[in-house]
Amino acid sequence: MNLEKGYLEKKIDLSLDLFEEISYLKKEKNAVILAHYYQDSDIQDIADFIGDSLGLAQQAQKSTADIILFAGVHFMAETAKILNPKKKVLIPDLNAGCSLADSCPPKLFSEFKNNHPNHIVITYINCTAEIKALSDIICTSSNAVQIVESLPKDQKIIFAPDKNLGAYINKKIGRKMVLWNGACMVHEIFSLEKITKIKSQHPTAELIAHPECEENILEVANFIGSTTALLNYTKKSNSNEFIVATETGILHQMQKLNPKKTFIPAPPNNNCACNDCPHMKLNTLEKIYIALKYEQPELLMDENLLNQAKKPILTMLELSAKFGL
Ligand code: 13P
Ligand code: SF4
């Protein structure tokens, strides 16, 4: 990456209306902003498309813009580049990583794969391009159950890197996938004890949870799904109160979609704001403005790696289209 020296130190004129400036730059440069639901509300409000990992990958693949600014984390921007390599992909902060992706280093995963011959490798999209290149099919939380279900019952499968999502699928559809021992730092932090206490204070509230949560939380959840599925459920359900066990950014869209309903973020097991993803929250409007203005930092990839990582993602997108997702 050729970062212009000191680009991050560039001062922003504090009198600028960043919403206006970003809208202007988007038009001028034919740029599109794709944002994950876990981004800050102001970023969601300036985005051209907000979605979960699957929706964002689909949008990135079909984008006709010259520039894709990805307001999410590194593996998401990387997936956009893999799917639409001719576009300039910008990421507001290159340090926006993912604890789940970090929990699966390619060398160790390669050894793990060698220790499990004759297994198909299904990998959650929250991983690096190197891990994708070692995989047969990528999945997201929107399509993981259907993708695993589409394989014969006796097919041996490695599922990586999220052990919680893998265990959830194993239990839900009766599989015995071999699981990589990885997890998301945000979804592992919820306190069952505190959730139970909130439930007793709000007896009609439904607990809705992302499948990256631990089993003890999923066991008591009224509904489990990807961020998009959770959002849709809040509209469909007759309940007026929800305890939301996923990253807090999604509450912005839930509240917008259901202005009269109440959303309570599920509490973490300590006093920190650990249900805010520190990686997602590295992105800011200021960084988006700077990235669009200077067209940096740009996500660049080795071409061989890009092509190897593309195959299992395309398989996922083909399967998703078949499932009507
Ligand atoms: P989805 O976008 O598939 O809901 O996954 C959530 C997540 O943890 C993204 O980092
Ligand atoms: Fe990774 Fe978890 Fe943050 Fe998603 S919420 S980007 S899985 S650390």
Short mmCIF file of all heavy atoms in Angstrom, two decimals, residues 110-172:
data_model
loop_
_atom_site.label_atom_id
_atom_site.label_comp_id
_atom_site.label_asym_id
_atom_site.label_seq_id
_atom_site.Cartn_x
_atom_site.Cartn_y
_atom_site.Cartn_z
N SER A 110 -3.75 -24.70 8.16
CA SER A 110 -3.29 -25.62 7.14
C SER A 110 -2.92 -26.98 7.77
O SER A 110 -3.26 -28.05 7.25
CB SER A 110 -2.09 -24.98 6.45
OG SER A 110 -1.72 -25.71 5.37
N GLU A 111 -2.27 -26.92 8.92
CA GLU A 111 -1.92 -28.16 9.65
C GLU A 111 -3.19 -28.89 10.11
O GLU A 111 -3.30 -30.11 10.00
CB GLU A 111 -1.05 -27.83 10.87
CG GLU A 111 0.38 -27.48 10.51
CD GLU A 111 1.15 -26.83 11.67
OE1 GLU A 111 0.72 -26.95 12.84
OE2 GLU A 111 2.17 -26.20 11.37
N PHE A 112 -4.12 -28.11 10.61
CA PHE A 112 -5.40 -28.66 11.08
C PHE A 112 -6.11 -29.40 9.93
O PHE A 112 -6.62 -30.51 10.09
CB PHE A 112 -6.27 -27.49 11.57
CG PHE A 112 -7.57 -27.85 12.23
CD1 PHE A 112 -7.60 -28.35 13.52
CD2 PHE A 112 -8.78 -27.66 11.56
CE1 PHE A 112 -8.81 -28.65 14.14
CE2 PHE A 112 -9.99 -27.95 12.17
CZ PHE A 112 -10.00 -28.46 13.47
N LYS A 113 -6.07 -28.77 8.76
CA LYS A 113 -6.68 -29.36 7.56
C LYS A 113 -5.98 -30.68 7.21
O LYS A 113 -6.63 -31.69 6.92
CB LYS A 113 -6.48 -28.38 6.40
CG LYS A 113 -7.73 -27.95 5.72
CD LYS A 113 -7.42 -27.07 4.52
CE LYS A 113 -7.54 -27.88 3.24
NZ LYS A 113 -7.52 -27.06 2.03
N ASN A 114 -4.65 -30.65 7.27
CA ASN A 114 -3.88 -31.88 6.95
C ASN A 114 -4.19 -33.01 7.94
O ASN A 114 -4.13 -34.18 7.58
CB ASN A 114 -2.38 -31.59 6.95
CG ASN A 114 -2.00 -30.71 5.78
OD1 ASN A 114 -2.73 -30.62 4.80
ND2 ASN A 114 -0.88 -30.01 5.89
N ASN A 115 -4.51 -32.63 9.16
CA ASN A 115 -4.84 -33.66 10.17
C ASN A 115 -6.25 -34.22 10.00
O ASN A 115 -6.65 -35.13 10.72
CB ASN A 115 -4.72 -33.07 11.59
CG ASN A 115 -3.28 -32.80 11.94
OD1 ASN A 115 -2.39 -33.43 11.37
ND2 ASN A 115 -3.04 -31.86 12.84
N HIS A 116 -7.02 -33.59 9.11
CA HIS A 116 -8.40 -34.07 8.87
C HIS A 116 -8.62 -34.29 7.38
O HIS A 116 -9.34 -33.53 6.72
CB HIS A 116 -9.42 -33.04 9.39
CG HIS A 116 -9.36 -32.86 10.87
ND1 HIS A 116 -8.55 -31.95 11.48
CD2 HIS A 116 -10.02 -33.51 11.86
CE1 HIS A 116 -8.70 -32.01 12.79
NE2 HIS A 116 -9.58 -32.95 13.06
N PRO A 117 -7.97 -35.33 6.82
CA PRO A 117 -8.14 -35.56 5.38
C PRO A 117 -9.59 -35.94 5.05
O PRO A 117 -10.35 -36.34 5.93
CB PRO A 117 -7.17 -36.72 5.10
CG PRO A 117 -6.88 -37.33 6.43
CD PRO A 117 -7.11 -36.30 7.48
N ASN A 118 -9.95 -35.77 3.80
CA ASN A 118 -11.30 -36.11 3.30
C ASN A 118 -12.41 -35.26 3.91
O ASN A 118 -13.56 -35.68 3.89
CB ASN A 118 -11.63 -37.60 3.51
CG ASN A 118 -10.53 -38.49 2.99
OD1 ASN A 118 -10.00 -38.22 1.91
ND2 ASN A 118 -10.15 -39.50 3.76
N HIS A 119 -12.06 -34.13 4.47
CA HIS A 119 -13.09 -33.23 5.00
C HIS A 119 -13.28 -32.06 4.02
O HIS A 119 -12.30 -31.53 3.49
CB HIS A 119 -12.68 -32.64 6.35
CG HIS A 119 -12.82 -33.59 7.49
ND1 HIS A 119 -12.12 -34.77 7.56
CD2 HIS A 119 -13.60 -33.52 8.62
CE1 HIS A 119 -12.45 -35.41 8.68
NE2 HIS A 119 -13.35 -34.67 9.33
N ILE A 120 -14.53 -31.66 3.83
CA ILE A 120 -14.80 -30.42 3.09
C ILE A 120 -14.63 -29.28 4.08
O ILE A 120 -15.03 -29.40 5.24
CB ILE A 120 -16.23 -30.44 2.48
CG1 ILE A 120 -16.20 -31.24 1.18
CG2 ILE A 120 -16.77 -29.04 2.24
CD1 ILE A 120 -17.43 -31.11 0.32
N VAL A 121 -14.01 -28.19 3.62
CA VAL A 121 -13.78 -27.06 4.53
C VAL A 121 -14.80 -25.95 4.26
O VAL A 121 -14.80 -25.34 3.19
CB VAL A 121 -12.35 -26.50 4.37
CG1 VAL A 121 -12.13 -25.33 5.32
CG2 VAL A 121 -11.32 -27.60 4.63
N ILE A 122 -15.68 -25.75 5.23
CA ILE A 122 -16.63 -24.64 5.15
C ILE A 122 -16.15 -23.57 6.11
O ILE A 122 -15.95 -23.83 7.30
CB ILE A 122 -18.07 -25.08 5.52
CG1 ILE A 122 -18.52 -26.22 4.61
CG2 ILE A 122 -19.03 -23.90 5.40
CD1 ILE A 122 -19.95 -26.65 4.80
N THR A 123 -15.95 -22.38 5.58
CA THR A 123 -15.38 -21.33 6.42
C THR A 123 -16.28 -20.11 6.44
O THR A 123 -16.77 -19.65 5.39
CB THR A 123 -13.97 -20.94 5.91
OG1 THR A 123 -13.20 -22.13 5.78
CG2 THR A 123 -13.28 -20.01 6.87
N TYR A 124 -16.48 -19.63 7.64
CA TYR A 124 -17.24 -18.40 7.86
C TYR A 124 -16.47 -17.25 7.21
O TYR A 124 -15.23 -17.21 7.28
CB TYR A 124 -17.33 -18.22 9.38
CG TYR A 124 -18.33 -17.22 9.89
CD1 TYR A 124 -19.55 -17.00 9.26
CD2 TYR A 124 -18.05 -16.50 11.06
CE1 TYR A 124 -20.45 -16.10 9.77
CE2 TYR A 124 -18.95 -15.59 11.58
CZ TYR A 124 -20.15 -15.39 10.92
OH TYR A 124 -21.04 -14.49 11.43
N ILE A 125 -17.19 -16.32 6.62
CA ILE A 125 -16.56 -15.23 5.86
C ILE A 125 -15.63 -14.37 6.72
O ILE A 125 -14.76 -13.68 6.21
CB ILE A 125 -17.66 -14.40 5.17
CG1 ILE A 125 -17.09 -13.56 4.03
CG2 ILE A 125 -18.42 -13.54 6.19
CD1 ILE A 125 -18.14 -13.04 3.06
N ASN A 126 -15.82 -14.45 8.06
CA ASN A 126 -14.98 -13.66 8.98
C ASN A 126 -13.61 -14.32 9.11
O ASN A 126 -13.27 -14.91 10.14
CB ASN A 126 -15.63 -13.59 10.37
CG ASN A 126 -16.99 -12.94 10.36
OD1 ASN A 126 -17.73 -13.08 9.40
ND2 ASN A 126 -17.32 -12.23 11.41
N CYS A 127 -12.83 -14.27 8.04
CA CYS A 127 -11.48 -14.84 8.04
C CYS A 127 -10.66 -14.13 6.98
O CYS A 127 -11.22 -13.42 6.13
CB CYS A 127 -11.56 -16.35 7.76
SG CYS A 127 -12.20 -16.73 6.12
N THR A 128 -9.36 -14.35 7.01
CA THR A 128 -8.49 -13.67 6.03
C THR A 128 -8.61 -14.34 4.65
O THR A 128 -9.08 -15.48 4.53
CB THR A 128 -7.02 -13.78 6.47
OG1 THR A 128 -6.69 -15.18 6.57
CG2 THR A 128 -6.80 -13.11 7.82
N ALA A 129 -8.08 -13.65 3.65
CA ALA A 129 -8.08 -14.22 2.29
C ALA A 129 -7.27 -15.51 2.25
O ALA A 129 -7.60 -16.44 1.50
CB ALA A 129 -7.52 -13.19 1.31
N GLU A 130 -6.21 -15.58 3.07
CA GLU A 130 -5.38 -16.80 3.09
C GLU A 130 -6.22 -17.99 3.55
O GLU A 130 -6.11 -19.09 3.02
CB GLU A 130 -4.19 -16.63 4.05
CG GLU A 130 -3.08 -15.74 3.55
CD GLU A 130 -3.35 -14.25 3.72
OE1 GLU A 130 -4.42 -13.89 4.27
OE2 GLU A 130 -2.53 -13.45 3.27
N ILE A 131 -7.06 -17.78 4.56
CA ILE A 131 -7.92 -18.87 5.04
C ILE A 131 -8.99 -19.18 3.99
O ILE A 131 -9.30 -20.36 3.75
CB ILE A 131 -8.57 -18.49 6.40
CG1 ILE A 131 -7.50 -18.30 7.48
CG2 ILE A 131 -9.61 -19.52 6.84
CD1 ILE A 131 -6.73 -19.55 7.88
N LYS A 132 -9.50 -18.17 3.34
CA LYS A 132 -10.50 -18.43 2.28
C LYS A 132 -9.88 -19.30 1.19
O LYS A 132 -10.51 -20.22 0.67
CB LYS A 132 -11.02 -17.11 1.70
CG LYS A 132 -11.92 -16.35 2.68
CD LYS A 132 -12.54 -15.11 2.06
CE LYS A 132 -13.54 -14.46 3.00
NZ LYS A 132 -12.92 -13.63 4.05
N ALA A 133 -8.61 -18.99 0.87
CA ALA A 133 -7.94 -19.76 -0.18
C ALA A 133 -7.76 -21.23 0.21
O ALA A 133 -7.61 -22.09 -0.65
CB ALA A 133 -6.59 -19.12 -0.48
N LEU A 134 -7.79 -21.52 1.51
CA LEU A 134 -7.66 -22.92 1.99
C LEU A 134 -9.03 -23.59 2.13
O LEU A 134 -9.12 -24.72 2.62
CB LEU A 134 -6.95 -22.93 3.35
CG LEU A 134 -5.46 -22.53 3.38
CD1 LEU A 134 -4.99 -22.27 4.80
CD2 LEU A 134 -4.62 -23.64 2.73
N SER A 135 -10.09 -22.90 1.74
CA SER A 135 -11.45 -23.40 2.00
C SER A 135 -12.15 -23.86 0.72
O SER A 135 -11.77 -23.46 -0.38
CB SER A 135 -12.29 -22.27 2.64
OG SER A 135 -11.62 -21.74 3.75
N ASP A 136 -13.19 -24.67 0.92
CA ASP A 136 -13.99 -25.12 -0.24
C ASP A 136 -15.22 -24.23 -0.44
O ASP A 136 -15.59 -23.91 -1.56
CB ASP A 136 -14.45 -26.58 -0.02
CG ASP A 136 -13.26 -27.52 0.04
OD1 ASP A 136 -12.53 -27.59 -0.96
OD2 ASP A 136 -13.05 -28.13 1.10
N ILE A 137 -15.86 -23.88 0.65
CA ILE A 137 -17.06 -23.03 0.56
C ILE A 137 -17.01 -22.00 1.69
O ILE A 137 -16.73 -22.36 2.84
CB ILE A 137 -18.38 -23.83 0.71
CG1 ILE A 137 -18.39 -25.09 -0.17
CG2 ILE A 137 -19.59 -22.95 0.35
CD1 ILE A 137 -19.63 -25.97 0.03
N ILE A 138 -17.30 -20.77 1.36
CA ILE A 138 -17.43 -19.74 2.39
C ILE A 138 -18.92 -19.67 2.77
O ILE A 138 -19.80 -20.00 1.97
CB ILE A 138 -16.94 -18.37 1.84
CG1 ILE A 138 -15.47 -18.46 1.44
CG2 ILE A 138 -17.18 -17.23 2.82
CD1 ILE A 138 -14.52 -18.87 2.55
N CYS A 139 -19.19 -19.24 3.99
CA CYS A 139 -20.59 -19.01 4.38
C CYS A 139 -20.65 -17.77 5.24
O CYS A 139 -19.62 -17.25 5.68
CB CYS A 139 -21.14 -20.22 5.14
SG CYS A 139 -20.41 -20.42 6.78
N THR A 140 -21.85 -17.27 5.45
CA THR A 140 -22.05 -16.18 6.42
C THR A 140 -23.13 -16.67 7.39
O THR A 140 -23.69 -17.76 7.21
CB THR A 140 -22.54 -14.88 5.75
OG1 THR A 140 -23.92 -15.02 5.41
CG2 THR A 140 -21.73 -14.52 4.52
N SER A 141 -23.45 -15.84 8.36
CA SER A 141 -24.47 -16.28 9.32
C SER A 141 -25.85 -16.36 8.66
O SER A 141 -26.76 -16.99 9.18
CB SER A 141 -24.49 -15.36 10.54
OG SER A 141 -24.69 -14.03 10.14
N SER A 142 -26.01 -15.73 7.48
CA SER A 142 -27.31 -15.78 6.77
C SER A 142 -27.53 -17.10 6.05
O SER A 142 -28.67 -17.49 5.80
CB SER A 142 -27.36 -14.70 5.68
OG SER A 142 -27.56 -13.45 6.23
N ASN A 143 -26.45 -17.75 5.65
CA ASN A 143 -26.64 -18.93 4.80
C ASN A 143 -25.95 -20.20 5.33
O ASN A 143 -26.00 -21.24 4.70
CB ASN A 143 -26.15 -18.64 3.37
CG ASN A 143 -24.70 -18.16 3.35
OD1 ASN A 143 -23.93 -18.48 4.25
ND2 ASN A 143 -24.32 -17.42 2.32
N ALA A 144 -25.29 -20.09 6.50
CA ALA A 144 -24.46 -21.20 6.99
C ALA A 144 -25.27 -22.49 7.15
O ALA A 144 -24.83 -23.57 6.71
CB ALA A 144 -23.81 -20.81 8.31
N VAL A 145 -26.46 -22.39 7.74
CA VAL A 145 -27.25 -23.60 7.99
C VAL A 145 -27.61 -24.27 6.66
O VAL A 145 -27.40 -25.48 6.48
CB VAL A 145 -28.53 -23.26 8.80
CG1 VAL A 145 -29.46 -24.46 8.87
CG2 VAL A 145 -28.16 -22.80 10.21
N GLN A 146 -28.09 -23.47 5.70
CA GLN A 146 -28.49 -24.06 4.41
C GLN A 146 -27.30 -24.66 3.66
O GLN A 146 -27.43 -25.69 3.02
CB GLN A 146 -29.15 -23.01 3.50
CG GLN A 146 -30.56 -22.68 3.90
CD GLN A 146 -30.63 -21.24 4.39
OE1 GLN A 146 -29.83 -20.84 5.23
NE2 GLN A 146 -31.60 -20.50 3.90
N ILE A 147 -26.16 -23.98 3.75
CA ILE A 147 -24.98 -24.49 3.02
C ILE A 147 -24.55 -25.84 3.61
O ILE A 147 -24.33 -26.81 2.88
CB ILE A 147 -23.82 -23.46 3.04
CG1 ILE A 147 -24.19 -22.33 2.07
CG2 ILE A 147 -22.49 -24.11 2.67
CD1 ILE A 147 -23.18 -21.23 1.92
N VAL A 148 -24.50 -25.93 4.93
CA VAL A 148 -24.11 -27.21 5.54
C VAL A 148 -25.16 -28.28 5.21
O VAL A 148 -24.84 -29.41 4.83
CB VAL A 148 -23.93 -27.06 7.07
CG1 VAL A 148 -23.65 -28.42 7.71
CG2 VAL A 148 -22.79 -26.08 7.40
N GLU A 149 -26.42 -27.87 5.29
CA GLU A 149 -27.52 -28.81 5.03
C GLU A 149 -27.51 -29.34 3.59
O GLU A 149 -27.99 -30.43 3.32
CB GLU A 149 -28.86 -28.10 5.30
CG GLU A 149 -29.81 -28.92 6.12
CD GLU A 149 -30.99 -28.09 6.61
OE1 GLU A 149 -31.17 -26.94 6.16
OE2 GLU A 149 -31.74 -28.63 7.44
N SER A 150 -26.95 -28.54 2.68
CA SER A 150 -26.96 -28.94 1.26
C SER A 150 -25.95 -30.07 0.98
O SER A 150 -25.97 -30.66 -0.09
CB SER A 150 -26.66 -27.73 0.37
OG SER A 150 -25.30 -27.37 0.49
N LEU A 151 -25.07 -30.33 1.95
CA LEU A 151 -24.09 -31.40 1.75
C LEU A 151 -24.63 -32.72 2.31
O LEU A 151 -25.40 -32.71 3.28
CB LEU A 151 -22.78 -31.05 2.46
CG LEU A 151 -22.07 -29.78 1.95
CD1 LEU A 151 -20.83 -29.48 2.76
CD2 LEU A 151 -21.70 -29.91 0.47
N PRO A 152 -24.24 -33.86 1.70
CA PRO A 152 -24.75 -35.15 2.18
C PRO A 152 -24.46 -35.34 3.68
O PRO A 152 -23.43 -34.89 4.18
CB PRO A 152 -23.96 -36.17 1.36
CG PRO A 152 -23.43 -35.42 0.19
CD PRO A 152 -23.33 -33.98 0.56
N LYS A 153 -25.36 -36.02 4.35
CA LYS A 153 -25.27 -36.22 5.81
C LYS A 153 -23.95 -36.85 6.24
O LYS A 153 -23.44 -36.58 7.33
CB LYS A 153 -26.43 -37.10 6.29
CG LYS A 153 -27.67 -36.32 6.64
CD LYS A 153 -28.03 -36.50 8.12
CE LYS A 153 -28.79 -35.29 8.61
NZ LYS A 153 -28.95 -35.07 9.96
N ASP A 154 -23.41 -37.74 5.36
CA ASP A 154 -22.19 -38.45 5.77
C ASP A 154 -20.91 -37.73 5.32
O ASP A 154 -19.81 -38.23 5.52
CB ASP A 154 -22.20 -39.89 5.23
CG ASP A 154 -22.35 -39.92 3.72
OD1 ASP A 154 -22.57 -38.84 3.11
OD2 ASP A 154 -22.26 -41.01 3.13
N GLN A 155 -21.07 -36.55 4.73
CA GLN A 155 -19.88 -35.78 4.32
C GLN A 155 -19.14 -35.26 5.55
O GLN A 155 -19.73 -34.64 6.42
CB GLN A 155 -20.32 -34.59 3.43
CG GLN A 155 -19.21 -33.64 3.07
CD GLN A 155 -18.12 -34.28 2.21
OE1 GLN A 155 -18.39 -34.83 1.15
NE2 GLN A 155 -16.88 -34.24 2.69
N LYS A 156 -17.85 -35.52 5.60
CA LYS A 156 -17.05 -35.00 6.72
C LYS A 156 -16.76 -33.53 6.46
O LYS A 156 -16.34 -33.16 5.35
CB LYS A 156 -15.75 -35.78 6.85
CG LYS A 156 -15.96 -37.21 7.30
CD LYS A 156 -14.62 -37.88 7.43
CE LYS A 156 -14.79 -39.30 7.91
NZ LYS A 156 -13.58 -40.07 7.69
N ILE A 157 -16.94 -32.73 7.49
CA ILE A 157 -16.81 -31.27 7.30
C ILE A 157 -15.95 -30.67 8.41
O ILE A 157 -16.11 -30.98 9.59
CB ILE A 157 -18.20 -30.58 7.33
CG1 ILE A 157 -19.11 -31.13 6.22
CG2 ILE A 157 -18.06 -29.05 7.20
CD1 ILE A 157 -20.56 -30.65 6.31
N ILE A 158 -15.05 -29.76 8.00
CA ILE A 158 -14.36 -28.88 8.96
C ILE A 158 -15.11 -27.57 8.90
O ILE A 158 -15.35 -27.03 7.81
CB ILE A 158 -12.89 -28.62 8.56
CG1 ILE A 158 -12.06 -29.88 8.70
CG2 ILE A 158 -12.30 -27.47 9.37
CD1 ILE A 158 -10.61 -29.72 8.20
N PHE A 159 -15.47 -27.03 10.06
CA PHE A 159 -16.11 -25.71 10.08
C PHE A 159 -15.20 -24.76 10.86
O PHE A 159 -14.82 -25.01 11.99
CB PHE A 159 -17.49 -25.76 10.73
CG PHE A 159 -18.25 -24.46 10.59
CD1 PHE A 159 -19.04 -24.22 9.48
CD2 PHE A 159 -18.15 -23.47 11.56
CE1 PHE A 159 -19.71 -23.01 9.31
CE2 PHE A 159 -18.82 -22.25 11.41
CZ PHE A 159 -19.61 -22.03 10.29
N ALA A 160 -14.88 -23.62 10.22
CA ALA A 160 -13.96 -22.66 10.86
C ALA A 160 -14.43 -21.24 10.55
O ALA A 160 -15.20 -21.03 9.62
CB ALA A 160 -12.55 -22.87 10.31
N PRO A 161 -13.97 -20.19 11.24
CA PRO A 161 -13.23 -20.30 12.49
C PRO A 161 -14.13 -20.20 13.71
O PRO A 161 -13.64 -20.34 14.83
CB PRO A 161 -12.28 -19.09 12.43
CG PRO A 161 -12.96 -18.08 11.57
CD PRO A 161 -13.91 -18.82 10.68
N ASP A 162 -15.44 -19.97 13.56
CA ASP A 162 -16.27 -19.68 14.75
C ASP A 162 -16.88 -20.94 15.36
O ASP A 162 -17.82 -21.53 14.82
CB ASP A 162 -17.39 -18.69 14.38
CG ASP A 162 -18.09 -18.17 15.63
OD1 ASP A 162 -17.42 -18.07 16.67
OD2 ASP A 162 -19.30 -17.90 15.58
N LYS A 163 -16.35 -21.32 16.52
CA LYS A 163 -16.83 -22.56 17.18
C LYS A 163 -18.29 -22.42 17.64
O LYS A 163 -19.02 -23.40 17.69
CB LYS A 163 -15.93 -22.92 18.36
CG LYS A 163 -15.93 -21.89 19.47
CD LYS A 163 -15.12 -22.34 20.66
CE LYS A 163 -15.15 -21.23 21.69
NZ LYS A 163 -14.22 -21.32 22.75
N ASN A 164 -18.72 -21.20 17.98
CA ASN A 164 -20.10 -21.04 18.46
C ASN A 164 -21.10 -21.23 17.33
O ASN A 164 -22.10 -21.94 17.48
CB ASN A 164 -20.28 -19.67 19.12
CG ASN A 164 -19.48 -19.55 20.39
OD1 ASN A 164 -19.40 -20.50 21.17
ND2 ASN A 164 -18.85 -18.40 20.61
N LEU A 165 -20.81 -20.60 16.18
CA LEU A 165 -21.70 -20.78 15.02
C LEU A 165 -21.68 -22.25 14.59
O LEU A 165 -22.73 -22.84 14.28
CB LEU A 165 -21.25 -19.86 13.88
CG LEU A 165 -21.99 -19.99 12.55
CD1 LEU A 165 -23.48 -19.68 12.70
CD2 LEU A 165 -21.39 -19.06 11.48
N GLY A 166 -20.48 -22.84 14.59
CA GLY A 166 -20.36 -24.26 14.20
C GLY A 166 -21.17 -25.16 15.12
O GLY A 166 -21.90 -26.05 14.67
N ALA A 167 -21.06 -24.91 16.44
CA ALA A 167 -21.78 -25.75 17.41
C ALA A 167 -23.29 -25.55 17.26
O ALA A 167 -24.08 -26.51 17.38
CB ALA A 167 -21.34 -25.38 18.82
N TYR A 168 -23.68 -24.33 16.96
CA TYR A 168 -25.11 -24.03 16.76
C TYR A 168 -25.67 -24.83 15.57
O TYR A 168 -26.73 -25.45 15.66
CB TYR A 168 -25.28 -22.52 16.55
CG TYR A 168 -26.60 -22.10 15.96
CD1 TYR A 168 -27.78 -22.19 16.71
CD2 TYR A 168 -26.69 -21.62 14.65
CE1 TYR A 168 -29.00 -21.81 16.17
CE2 TYR A 168 -27.90 -21.24 14.11
CZ TYR A 168 -29.06 -21.34 14.87
OH TYR A 168 -30.25 -20.97 14.32
N ILE A 169 -24.89 -24.85 14.47
CA ILE A 169 -25.35 -25.60 13.28
C ILE A 169 -25.37 -27.10 13.58
O ILE A 169 -26.34 -27.79 13.25
CB ILE A 169 -24.44 -25.31 12.06
CG1 ILE A 169 -24.43 -23.82 11.74
CG2 ILE A 169 -24.90 -26.11 10.83
CD1 ILE A 169 -23.35 -23.41 10.75
N ASN A 170 -24.30 -27.59 14.22
CA ASN A 170 -24.24 -29.02 14.56
C ASN A 170 -25.49 -29.43 15.32
O ASN A 170 -26.12 -30.46 15.03
CB ASN A 170 -23.02 -29.30 15.44
CG ASN A 170 -21.77 -29.60 14.61
OD1 ASN A 170 -21.87 -29.83 13.39
ND2 ASN A 170 -20.61 -29.57 15.23
N LYS A 171 -25.87 -28.60 16.30
CA LYS A 171 -27.02 -28.93 17.15
C LYS A 171 -28.34 -28.80 16.37
O LYS A 171 -29.22 -29.66 16.46
CB LYS A 171 -27.02 -27.97 18.35
CG LYS A 171 -27.92 -28.39 19.47
CD LYS A 171 -27.65 -27.55 20.69
CE LYS A 171 -28.75 -27.73 21.70
NZ LYS A 171 -28.67 -26.77 22.78
N LYS A 172 -28.42 -27.73 15.58
CA LYS A 172 -29.68 -27.44 14.89
C LYS A 172 -30.04 -28.51 13.86
O LYS A 172 -31.18 -28.92 13.73
CB LYS A 172 -29.58 -26.07 14.21
CG LYS A 172 -30.88 -25.59 13.58
CD LYS A 172 -30.77 -24.14 13.11
CE LYS A 172 -31.94 -23.74 12.26
NZ LYS A 172 -33.14 -23.43 13.00
#
